[in-house]
Amino acid sequence: MSETPITDPTPVSPWAVPEPQPEPAPPDAKTSPLAEFFWGGVSTLILAAWIAWQIGWLGAVAAVLGVFVHEFGHVLVINAAGCGPSRIRIIPFFGGAATMARPPDTELKGVVIALAGPVFGLAAALPFFGLAAWTGQRGWDVGALVVAGFNLLNLAPAPPLDGSKALGPVLARIHPQLERLALVVVGGLAVLWTLSRGSLIAPVFIGLSVLGSLRMGQLRPTARPLSWGEWALGLALYVLALGLCAAALALAAADLRVDTHFLSFGSFGVGR
C-alpha cells in the first residue's frame, strides 16, 4: 500500500516570513587511517617510555608486546562472536583496549571474550622463554615474568579488568549481590596492594573504576544469563585461565630465582 503525502491545507501568504528550517546535521567526521596509525604509534611510544622508566627497556618491550597480543586475543574472539568489527586502541600509562561494535548477546560469549585476552596473551611470553633457553641468559625471563604478571593481574574480578567480565556473570548466577560484594572486596584489596607497592596512578584508576561500577544500575550490558551448564563451563574456563597465567608466572619466577614475596603487600613506605 502506498502512502499519500500529508500537506498543510492553510494557504501561505506571499508576505509571510518563512520559519527557519533546521540545518541538516553534518556527517560524522571519520578519522583517517593515517591519523589513527600516527596517534596509535604516539600512544605506544608514550606507554613504552613510561614502562621503561619504571622497570627498564626489556620490561617495556615485553609489556608493549604483551598488550598487543593480549588485545589481539580479544579482537579474534569479538569478531568470531559477531560483536565486531573490533580494533586495538593503546591507552598511554594504562595499556590497551579492544573495541566492540555491539555487546555480546549471551553472557557466555562475554565470559569467553574476556578470557581470550589473558590466555592468548601468554603467547607473548614464549619468545622470552625461548631466548632464555637458547642463550642461557636467564635475564630474558624478565620479559616472560612481565607478560605473565600482566595477564594474571587482568584476571582479578575488579573493573575494568577482564576478570570482572569473566567471573562476574558466574558470581551473579549464584546471587546478584555476590558479584558486587566480590567487586568491593577485590577492588579494595587491589587499591591497597598497588599503594603498598609504591604506585600512585594504579590505585586511583582502580578505585574510580570500582566506584563508577557500583553507581551503575547494572554492571554489564543486558544479555541472556548463563544456564547452570554454562555456569559450570564459565567457572572451569576462568579457573583454567587463572592456572595457566599463574603457572607461567611461577615458571619465570623460578628461572629468575625470584622470591614470590613481590606479590605480597608492601610496607606502605614504612621503613624505606
Side-chain angles (χ1 to χ4, degrees):
M1 180 184 295
S2 62
E3 294 184 357
T4 305
I6 300 174
T7 57
D8 187 358
T10 306
V12 179
S13 168
W15 294 279
V17 179
E19 296 183 0
Q21 298 296 320
E23 296 182 0
D28 294 336
K30 294 184 178 180
T31 306
S32 67
L34 183 60
E36 288 187 359
F37 178 80
F38 173 77
W39 289 115
V42 170
S43 298
T44 303
L45 289 175
I46 293 174
L47 177 64
W50 181 72
I51 296 174
W53 177 62
Q54 296 286 323
I55 58 176
W57 71 268
L58 180 57
V61 171
V64 172
L65 176 63
V67 166
F68 273 104
V69 177
H70 175 106
E71 299 304 337
F72 187 64
H74 287 310
V75 167
L76 287 176
V77 180
I78 287 171
N79 291 335
C83 302
S86 178
R87 65 177 61 183
I88 298 173
R89 289 183 177 174
I90 298 297
I91 306 172
F93 305 111
F94 295 112
T99 63
M100 195 180 302
R102 60 192 64 83
D105 54 2
T106 69
E107 288 188 343
L108 182 60
K109 286 183 180 180
V111 171
V112 176
I113 288 171
L115 292 177
V119 173
F120 194 84
L122 290 177
L126 297 179
F128 299 101
F129 280 128
L131 285 169
W134 183 46
T135 63
Q137 298 179 6
R138 293 301 169 188
W140 288 108
D141 284 318
V142 170
L145 187 76
V146 170
V147 171
F150 163 75
N151 286 287
L152 182 62
L153 177 63
N154 260 277
L155 287 172
L161 304 178
D162 294 324
S164 64
K165 306 176 186 69
L167 192 61
V170 174
L171 297 175
R173 186 67 178 87
I174 301 173
H175 194 282
Q177 294 304 318
L178 183 59
E179 180 181 9
R180 292 185 176 271
L181 177 61
L183 186 154
V184 172
V185 172
V186 176
L189 289 174
V191 169
L192 289 175
W193 182 79
T194 49
L195 277 174
S196 74
R197 308 311 301 187
S199 174
L200 296 178
I201 297 177
V204 172
F205 183 58
I206 295 173
L208 291 176
S209 298
V210 171
L211 290 176
S213 298
L214 290 175
R215 295 180 60 184
M216 295 171 60
Q218 59 184 35
L219 298 178
R220 293 175 310 281
T222 303
R224 181 178 64 77
L226 298 173
S227 65
W228 282 112
E230 292 172 337
W231 174 85
L233 177 60
L235 181 60
L237 291 175
Y238 179 80
V239 172
L240 176 61
L242 198 67
L244 289 173
C245 292
L249 182 68
L251 179 60
D255 286 347
L256 289 168
R257 294 179 175 83
V258 174
D259 190 349
T260 53
H261 76 277
F262 70 91
L263 295 175
S264 64
F265 283 88
S267 59
F268 292 91
V270 178
R272 294 181 183 178

